[in-house]
Amino acid sequence: MRNEPNQNQAGIESLADLLRKKNHFLLLSHVSPDGDALGSMIALGDALRSLGKNVKLFNETGVPSRYSFLPRAAEVTGRLGRLADFEVAILLDCHSLKRAGVRFSQTDQLPLLAVLDHHEVGDPVSAAVTVIDPQTAATGELVYQLLITMGVSITPEMATNLYTAISTDTGSFNFDNTTASCLEVAAALVDSGARPWDIYRQLNFNLPPERLRILSQTLGGVDYYYKGQLGTLTIDSEIMSAAQIYEIDTEDFVSFPRSIKGVELAVLITENGGGVCHVSLRSQGRVNAAAMAKSFGGGGHRNAAGFSISGSAESVKSRVIAAAASFMPREEDRSLYEAEP
Ligand code: AMP
Ligand code: MN
Ligand code: MN
């Protein structure tokens, strides 16, 4: 392993101290969880249990089918129970309570809070211990450092969850957040029993057939704006409800407009029931997607960010295109937003 000073070590040590002292934990991750949110939460839960602690894994919107293969995914529950039963709540892969779901934005009876996250810092909830490192590829990498600091021996189940966390957040070790350090952690996880091919297969070759139907219905609707620098794709609620699938099953559709030459910012608008859309933004590096998402009350990373917003897909699309003007890389292109053939 490379021997570099670790920026997070002091925070990780304080978190480890807190975890050693307490016994009843509530682990929380963001709604519509991805591989990092779930893998980080499940692995940390296993580790705390291996130390004899009592743990509940909570996610308000549950485990999407794509991630149900994760060892112990079935232990993630949408039933919170009594908050008074927990001494510490640990918020993973996000840093505001609103991201953990509506129940947390509405309560003031929370236990002591800890935050472990890697998103660009917006407005983190005030917590007893906060470790947020935007330089880290995935929250799973921070969980790995925490487990090593605590002397936990990594089981194959923990390794599978943490490898999934890191590989999904780095686009299978291809995105620009892929560092030597995250590759080293991934190698150590393989040594501890994670099987890259099995995990890749479960994630990518195990999808419901409805996915292809939706893809064929939506791909014809890719539009380009700002001289081809903005590519958009919309999935309206009719398509979504006909297919009865979770939002997460379509999250990587954004890679289609993103794959086109000249596209600096790709946008996927998914219209969920109840008049709310989820908007995913992906940048090639020149557009700050996190700043743009923040201007709509969301967040994320420079190259991958998102937000939820009320309105029809059509009205949201117009607002997003108009807002994108000020984020376009070249000033002379900022007033052009007619759809292009
Ligand atoms: P998505 O496009 O939903 O896959 O999200 C891309 C990135 O932005 C992920 O790191 C998410 O955690 C983050 N993100 C998505 N939606 C929100 C939101 N409403 N608020 C803050 N961060 C978000
Ligand atoms: Mn996430
Ligand atoms: Mn993450």
Side-chain angles (χ1 to χ4, degrees), residues 248-331:
I248 194 81
D249 283 324
T250 55
E251 68 169 10
D252 57 347
F253 284 15
V254 72
S255 64
F256 292 99
R258 185 188 215 182
S259 68
I260 300 305
K261 185 175 181 183
V263 169
E264 295 283 351
L265 178 69
V267 176
L268 172 69
I269 297 164
T270 309
E271 188 175 42
N272 299 311
V276 175
C277 292
H278 184 77
V279 180
S280 294
L281 307 176
R282 298 290 183 274
S283 163
Q284 301 288 18
R286 294 172 73 200
V287 173
N288 187 343
M292 186 167 153
K294 203 169 171 212
S295 73
F296 284 99
H301 312 278
R302 185 179 173 90
N303 289 352
F307 59 93
S308 292
I309 183 171
S310 306
S312 66
E314 209 180 325
S315 69
V316 167
K317 182 176 168 184
S318 310
R319 287 178 63 187
V320 170
I321 294 167
S326 51
F327 294 92
M328 283 296 117
R330 288 197 307 258
E331 202 156 333

Side-chain angles (χ1 to χ4, degrees), residues 30 34 36-37 93 99 118-119 169:
H30 62 77
D34 48 28
D36 191 25
D93 201 35
R99 287 283 285 148
H118 69 130
H119 287 89
D169 260 25

Side-chain angles (χ1 to χ4, degrees), residues 60-79:
E60 192 171 272
T61 55
V63 177
S65 56
R66 188 178 192 195
Y67 298 108
S68 56
F69 76 95
L70 289 171
R72 282 194 253 299
E75 288 181 23
V76 177
T77 172
R79 286 172 200 217

